[in-house]
């Protein structure tokens, strides 16, 4: 397969933009990516537009990408709309990668843009309701409850009745199972969150930029035990973009800062049993990506993973091969996943504190990793970064994500 490079990236600061339309949120990311690549709108031959929420929040169920991109000055080119739950943006990048690698074109735009916040908060939370089997909700809830049944809640836990995404209950159930089976503690999860909030304090595009300690995290409001508010991704608005091109086009443009996409793999979940973690879809997809790229976990310099909850980062570190299954807490306790550690994870601050506009998240991960591989990440720079990996999951089925995308980049 032909080599494909990222030659331009752009991203808004994630946050809350109640008064902005979707195209206004997308515009700064697109313009930054074009400027970064040194090209104009007319050079883009195709666009892949990721969005999940506009149908729920605004009723714009169809032609979202065509409308948003027309407002940004793109006409005539093919525009493909991509919806793959929280993995939408990385799926858009995968589609752009395939477009270039197959020889259909030389240069393409992958864009994820999301406006999740609404004056009617019920609409914002309703976005998540369709990300699992809506015909199987009772059975899904029962399976998750059974996962954590052997780990009794501590006194005073489980009393919160505040509005939250159903996915925080999903992650809480998975965390309780991991805690019971492997001995992971709530403080371990809090240390992940504190580390990510420290990282986000160095990221000017993060939604939250205040450092926190593990004690701060543990003292915060419970969302779904063992998860407290700082351990959970917020509802966010924002956009991120990447411009991909062929090797020949990169040479023609003199793109000396181009970063190669060494592997882009998408997997789907299965009906595996809860304790069969060796066949978790993220582990299988990561192993395929490592094989394609000709590298392994030990070769990775930095990673961005889908930490919609702090527990998810700890678990994904295991699935990506940075520790044995069940031993992710040791990475946290040793400081291996912090800046300066053996394998820094979520140097951007991750979903918990950089923010999580669902349809943009996967490309925000790519934005961070490209910055790292170029040596342009400033105070959060990982020294000598050469290989990077992103894991971006979406939806939920039985005991794992419904889909996940693994991307490996190299300079």
């Amino acid at each position: 397969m032909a080599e494909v490079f990222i030659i331009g990236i752009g991203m808004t600061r994630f946050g809350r933009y109640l008064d902005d339309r979707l195209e206004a949120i997308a515009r700064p990311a697109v313009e930054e990516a074009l400027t970064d690549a040194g090209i104009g709108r007319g050079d883009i031959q195709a666009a892949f537009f990721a969005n999940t929420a506009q149908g729920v929040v605004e009723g714009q169920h169809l032609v979202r990408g065509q409308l948003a991109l027309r407002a940004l000055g793109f006409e005539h080119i093919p525009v493909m709309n991509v919806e793959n739950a929280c993995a939408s943006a990385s799926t858009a990048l995968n589609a752009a990668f395939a477009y270039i690698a197959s020889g259909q074109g030389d240069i393409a735009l992958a864009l994820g843009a999301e406006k999740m916040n609404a004056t009617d908060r019920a609409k914002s939370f309703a976005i998540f309701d369709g990300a699992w089997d809506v015909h199987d909700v009772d059975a899904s809830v029962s399976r998750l409850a059974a996962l954590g049944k052997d780990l009794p809640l501590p006194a005073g836990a489980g009393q919160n009745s505040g509005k939250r995404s159903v996915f925080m209950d999903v992650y809480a159930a998975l965390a309780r199972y991991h805690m019971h089976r492997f001995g992971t503690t709530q403080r371990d999860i809090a240390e992940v969150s504190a580390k990510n909030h420290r990282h986000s304090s160095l990221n000017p595009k993060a939604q939250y930029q205040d450092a926190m300690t593990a004690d701060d995290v543990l003292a915060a409001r419970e969302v779904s035990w063992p998860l407290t508010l700082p351990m959970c991704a917020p509802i966010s608005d924002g956009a991120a973009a990447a411009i991909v091109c062929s090797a020949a086009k990169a040479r023609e443009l003199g793109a000396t800062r181009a970063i190669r996409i060494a592997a882009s793999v998408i997997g789907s979940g299965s009906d595996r049993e809860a304790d069969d973690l060796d066949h978790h879809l993220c582990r299988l997809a990561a192993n395929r990506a490592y094989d394609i790229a000709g590298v392994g976990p030990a070769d990775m310099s930095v990673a961005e993973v889908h930490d919609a909850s702090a527990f998810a980062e700890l678990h994904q570190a295991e699935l990506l091969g940075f520790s044995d299954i069940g031993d992710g807490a040791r990475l946290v306790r040793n400081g291996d996943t912090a800046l300066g550690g053996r394998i820094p994870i979520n140097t951007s601050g991750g979903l918990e504190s950089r923010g999580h506009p669902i349809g943009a998240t996967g490309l925000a991960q790519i934005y961070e990793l490209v910055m790292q591989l170029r040596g342009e990440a400033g105070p959060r720079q990982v020294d000598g970064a050469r290989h990077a990996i992103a894991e971006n999951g979406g939806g939920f089925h039985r005991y794992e994500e419904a889909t996940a995308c693994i991307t490996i980049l190299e300079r």
Side-chain angles (χ1 to χ4, degrees), residues 34 71 96 117 164 168 206 221 242 293 316 411:
L34 291 169
N117 284 287
R164 61 186 181 271
M168 292 307 105
R221 175 176 70 82
Q316 291 299 336
R411 66 171 174 85

Side-chain angles (χ1 to χ4, degrees), residues 269-408:
S270 69
D271 287 335
R272 68 171 179 84
E273 294 304 316
D275 59 355
D276 184 12
L277 293 173
D278 284 330
H279 289 91
H280 191 290
L281 85 136
C282 292
R283 189 168 186 82
L284 297 178
N287 287 340
R288 284 171 54 205
Y290 288 135
D291 286 345
I292 291 168
V295 294
D299 297 303
M300 297 300 108
S301 306
V302 58
E304 288 280 309
V305 306
H306 195 93
D307 61 323
S309 76
F311 165 72
E313 177 186 309
L314 184 152
H315 189 40
Q316 291 299 336
E318 300 170 350
L319 298 173
L320 294 180
F322 299 137
S323 76
D324 292 337
I325 296 291
D327 202 26
R330 179 179 54 80
L331 297 177
V332 180
R333 295 166 189 166
N334 291 346
D336 289 339
T337 59
L339 281 167
R342 176 170 62 86
I343 175 62
I345 297 178
N346 288 333
T347 54
S348 67
L351 282 61
E352 299 160 63
S353 45
R354 182 199 60 230
H356 183 29
I358 294 177
T361 287
L363 282 163
Q365 293 179 326
I366 298 303
Y367 180 94
E368 176 68 17
L369 296 180
V370 169
M371 293 284 283
Q372 290 286 352
L373 293 176
R374 288 176 173 176
E376 297 173 357
R380 62 186 191 281
Q381 179 65 48
V382 175
D383 291 341
R386 179 169 177 79
H387 292 95
I389 188 167
E391 174 275 323
N392 183 206
F396 194 76
H397 178 65
R398 285 181 62 83
Y399 301 115
E400 62 189 3
E401 296 85 347
T403 186
C405 186
I406 306 292
T407 310
I408 295 177

Side-chain angles (χ1 to χ4, degrees), residues 10-322:
M11 180 178 160
T12 66
R13 178 179 176 178
F14 288 176
R16 184 175 169 88
Y17 299 107
L18 275 176
D19 297 328
D20 290 340
R21 292 182 54 166
L22 187 63
E23 58 265 28
I25 293 171
R27 185 183 299 276
V30 172
E31 291 180 346
E32 182 183 357
L34 291 169
T35 299
D36 189 48
I39 62 173
R41 283 169 173 76
D43 294 305
I44 299 295
Q45 298 169 346
F48 299 84
F49 181 80
N51 177 273
T52 68
Q54 198 179 13
V56 176
V57 174
E58 298 181 348
Q60 186 67 57
H61 295 287
L62 305 174
V63 296
R64 302 173 195 177
Q66 286 83 355
L67 295 174
L69 287 165
R70 181 77 60 83
L72 301 184
F74 293 91
E75 297 180 331
H76 304 300
I77 64 171
V79 175
M80 275 62 74
N81 291 290
V82 178
E83 189 281 297
N84 209 14
C86 298
S88 293
S90 54
T91 303
L93 180 66
N94 174 272
F97 169 85
Y99 175 84
I100 301 298
S102 64
Q104 296 182 67
D106 292 316
I107 191 161
L109 169 69
L111 169 64
E114 205 75 87
K115 180 179 172 64
M116 297 177 66
N117 284 287
T119 52
D120 181 356
R121 292 284 285 171
K123 288 185 176 181
S124 297
F125 285 106
I127 295 165
F128 303 95
D129 293 342
W132 60 358
D133 188 346
V134 298
H135 303 291
D136 191 43
V137 171
D138 290 343
S140 296
V141 170
S142 296
R143 279 193 297 269
L144 290 168
L147 275 181
K149 65 181 176 61
D150 294 322
L151 185 70
L153 295 181
Q159 303 302 310
N160 175 65
S161 59
K163 187 69 174 173
R164 61 186 181 271
S165 158
V166 66
F167 277 81
M168 292 307 105
D169 292 326
V170 169
Y171 281 117
L174 296 173
R176 291 195 294 271
Y177 173 79
H178 200 277
M179 293 166 76
H180 176 72
R181 182 175 174 185
F182 299 114
T184 303
T185 68
Q186 188 186 32
R187 178 164 284 276
D188 292 328
I189 301 171
E191 291 287 0
V192 173
S193 179
K195 180 266 297 180
N196 286 337
H197 284 278
R198 288 195 300 274
H199 288 177
S200 72
S201 71
L202 305 174
N203 183 359
K205 295 196 174 185
Q207 183 166 349
Y208 299 124
Q209 299 179 13
D210 295 324
M212 300 184 76
T213 66
D215 287 337
D216 294 332
V217 172
L218 289 169
R221 175 176 70 82
E222 177 189 311
V223 172
S224 187
W225 197 88
L227 306 178
T228 64
L229 189 62
M231 299 180 189
C232 303
I235 291 175
S236 310
D237 306 327
I243 294 170
V244 300
C245 74
S246 64
K249 191 67 173 179
R251 288 193 296 270
E252 177 187 324
L253 294 171
T256 57
R257 293 156 61 244
I259 298 299
R260 189 171 82 92
I261 301 177
S264 177
V265 170
I266 297 178
S268 295
S270 69
D271 287 335
R272 68 171 179 84
E273 294 304 316
D275 59 355
D276 184 12
L277 293 173
D278 284 330
H279 289 91
H280 191 290
L281 85 136
C282 292
R283 189 168 186 82
L284 297 178
N287 287 340
R288 284 171 54 205
Y290 288 135
D291 286 345
I292 291 168
V295 294
D299 297 303
M300 297 300 108
S301 306
V302 58
E304 288 280 309
V305 306
H306 195 93
D307 61 323
S309 76
F311 165 72
E313 177 186 309
L314 184 152
H315 189 40
Q316 291 299 336
E318 300 170 350
L319 298 173
L320 294 180
F322 299 137

